[in-house]
Amino acid sequence: MATQPWPAQWFIGYRKIEFAANILLFIPFGIILTLRLHRRLWWLSVVITAAVSGAVELAQGIFLPERVPAWSDIVANSSGALFGALLVLFAWSLHRRRALRTDRPTA
């Protein structure tokens, strides 16, 4: 019995849906890594994600012959981590601005 494709697949396509899903799934990973690192080392969260993602893709290629490793997965995962890191940087920036505003002496 053939399965019916999801209606949006006709317009978007499976590869784009998978790419977007990988980005969304790795946003929390980027947030968590960035929060664990020093503020100036936020970029390491993207590098770490790319390295871990590359290792997973390599392992898939070696140990799971039915799976096909893809560079696009590494790019999507790293992009998700970048978005997560940028969200943390934005939150830190807002927090700092609010702290500076409340620390001003009133004249």
Side-chain angles (χ1 to χ4, degrees):
M1 179 156 128
T3 60
Q4 293 293 323
W6 184 51
Q9 266 184 278
W10 293 104
F11 303 112
I12 301 171
Y14 178 77
R15 305 284 289 170
K16 290 179 184 174
I17 293 170
E18 181 186 27
F19 191 82
N22 279 348
I23 290 173
L24 291 174
L25 287 171
F26 274 82
I27 289 174
F29 194 66
I31 290 171
I32 292 167
L33 281 176
T34 303
L35 289 172
R36 298 291 299 157
L37 295 169
H38 190 273
R39 187 176 293 187
R40 288 184 302 197
L41 299 175
W42 67 269
W43 55 272
L44 274 177
S45 62
V46 180
V47 173
I48 291 168
T49 302
V52 169
S53 186
V56 168
E57 292 297 318
L58 182 64
Q60 282 182 0
I62 294 171
F63 300 114
L64 301 172
E66 66 276 0
R67 298 284 308 236
V68 178
W71 285 104
S72 62
D73 287 347
I74 299 170
V75 170
N77 298 346
S78 300
S79 297
L82 176 62
F83 287 143
L86 292 176
L87 285 171
V88 172
L89 291 174
F90 180 70
W92 280 340
S93 174
L94 285 178
H95 178 70
R96 183 169 183 210
R97 284 184 191 162
R98 285 187 181 152
L100 289 174
R101 258 190 279 154
T102 58
D103 288 345
R104 285 189 197 161
T106 56

